[in-house]
Amino acid sequence: MLLELENDNLNEIIAANKNVVVQYSATWCGNCRIMKPKFKKESTENEKVTFVLADAEKFPESRKLAKVDNLPTFATFVNGEFKNQVQTNKYDVLKELIYEVTSN
């Protein structure tokens, strides 16, 4: 499942879903635009995970849930708790992060 935040309510999505992977991005971020289709592709291949696209500039409260200080940042949450994050534009690194969540 893929969700795109329309409100600053990521905490509610994390609380309601067991496994969550978030892509924090911004409209001006070139690497974010490169990774977005890859992130969307992963969302179609992993039924155990809720994928969320979050604009890091529009939603500061959602941004605070992970250690976001560079974009794109990908963060994982399991059972409502922050687990891990990476800042990357490499597809293999993203896949490894997703694997950590799906191998639970």
Side-chain angles (χ1 to χ4, degrees):
M1 172 185 351
L2 178 69
L3 304 172
E4 191 155 356
L5 279 193
E6 296 180 10
N7 300 299
D8 204 357
N9 65 338
L10 180 59
N11 57 338
E12 295 170 18
I13 293 168
I14 291 168
N17 294 279
K18 181 179 187 235
N19 299 315
V20 180
V21 179
V22 182
Q23 177 179 344
Y24 291 95
S25 59
T27 55
W28 52 262
C29 172
N31 284 331
C32 300
R33 288 193 301 271
I34 290 169
M35 292 301 289
K36 189 173 183 178
K38 296 169 182 162
F39 188 74
K40 285 182 173 181
K41 178 182 182 290
E42 286 297 316
S43 75
T44 65
E45 297 175 359
N46 291 283
E47 295 176 8
K48 295 181 180 179
V49 181
T50 300
F51 290 80
V52 182
L53 292 164
D55 188 313
E57 292 186 324
K58 286 183 187 175
F59 305 119
E61 292 304 312
S62 295
R63 182 181 176 138
K64 289 177 187 175
L65 299 174
K67 299 171 177 90
V68 180
D69 57 12
N70 204 346
L71 297 174
T73 293
F74 298 90
T76 58
F77 301 85
V78 177
N79 294 323
E81 293 184 23
F82 172 78
K83 287 297 177 189
N84 198 2
Q85 65 94 9
V86 295
Q87 299 164 353
T88 190
N89 62 356
K90 295 184 177 19
Y91 187 39
D92 289 345
V93 175
L94 172 60
K95 287 181 76 154
E96 286 176 30
L97 186 72
I98 294 167
Y99 178 75
E100 288 176 17
V101 172
T102 58
S103 63
N104 288 340

